[in-house]
Amino acid sequence: MIKEIIILSSLLTVLVSCSQTTKKETNDTLNTSMTTETREAIIQKEIFNQDLKTIKLDFDFIVYLGQEEDFQKFKTYTFFKLTRNNTTIFIDSSLTEYEFGNKLFPIIIKTGNNSFELLFEINDRPNKNYLKRLFIKDNKLVRQDKLPTFEGKPIDINQDGIKEYAGFWDYSQVWGDDNNLTAYNPILYYSVTTKGLLLDSLLTRERNEMIYGKFYGFAFSENDEQPIGVAEKFGRELKLINGGQ
């Protein structure tokens, strides 16, 4: 009898050990699988599955938003999912704050057969907001980059038959004696083409030479100090970009 009890105990020990080993192997397999599918995305989909704001866009794109924060004057969302035709294209659950208060955005540009550029506004306080641009091909994210937020709808500013969006990267401060100096803050012009938004280098150079008297490049710079008087020309250009409003 004692011998039978010892054998039974040994069998139970072996079974428990095998069960634990199997469970560990299963968990390891799941972890590997979740790494491939992006573990964080799966977790976020479970968390926000029942509490998402939905925005339907052109060309059958749908945006799902979660983790809303209301700042009274604007709202931000730190969970973002983009889908098309029931296919998940992009999930962002980082601390990036998407904003949808400006009716100008999002912007969608068809760039070819089943290819698109999508631009979404990102709240970057205390800095000026910027645009996140997603390049989509065959319902897959090809790449992404950043553009400055645009000041208005596209217009044909140089009468060449091509409309342009225009925007600048940051807000300028003033300094010096009697606050008589400010930064070089170029306005960038992007042509709307069948290949997407393209920086019009020549137009950008010409328009900024009109404002600053010289072209100092495409980047915001406080090193290239400007007399405060350029602010008036800068303001007139923004008014033109906004259709005189």
Side-chain angles (χ1 to χ4, degrees), residues 5-18:
I5 292 173
I6 293 173
I7 292 174
L8 180 59
S9 176
S10 299
L11 285 173
L12 287 173
T13 301
V14 171
L15 288 173
V16 170
S17 177
C18 289

Side-chain angles (χ1 to χ4, degrees), residues 102 104-105 107 119 128-131 146-155 157 163-172 184-192 197-200 203-205 207-208 211-212 215 217-220 234 237-242:
N102 190 332
L104 182 61
F105 314 115
I107 295 172
L119 294 91
K128 188 174 183 287
N129 289 1
Y130 66 88
L131 296 175
K146 296 179 180 180
L147 296 179
T149 49
F150 302 138
E151 298 305 304
K153 295 179 180 180
I155 63 171
I157 196 167
K163 291 185 176 182
E164 296 90 14
Y165 281 105
F168 56 97
W169 279 111
D170 211 344
Y171 298 115
S172 296
Y184 170 69
N185 194 9
I187 299 175
L188 307 180
Y189 298 82
Y190 295 86
S191 298
V192 182
L197 292 180
L198 300 177
L199 177 65
D200 190 327
L203 180 62
T204 297
R205 179 183 294 272
R207 303 306 292 188
N208 284 285
I211 298 172
Y212 299 102
F215 184 65
F218 298 95
F220 176 93
F234 188 91
E237 186 70 3
L238 290 186
K239 188 175 182 179
L240 177 62
I241 292 168
N242 279 284

Side-chain angles (χ1 to χ4, degrees), residues 68-76 97 123 125:
E68 177 185 295
E69 192 165 0
D70 191 342
F71 294 91
Q72 300 303 315
K73 291 185 178 180
F74 60 89
K75 295 179 181 180
T76 64
E97 296 183 277
N123 188 294
R125 63 187 185 284

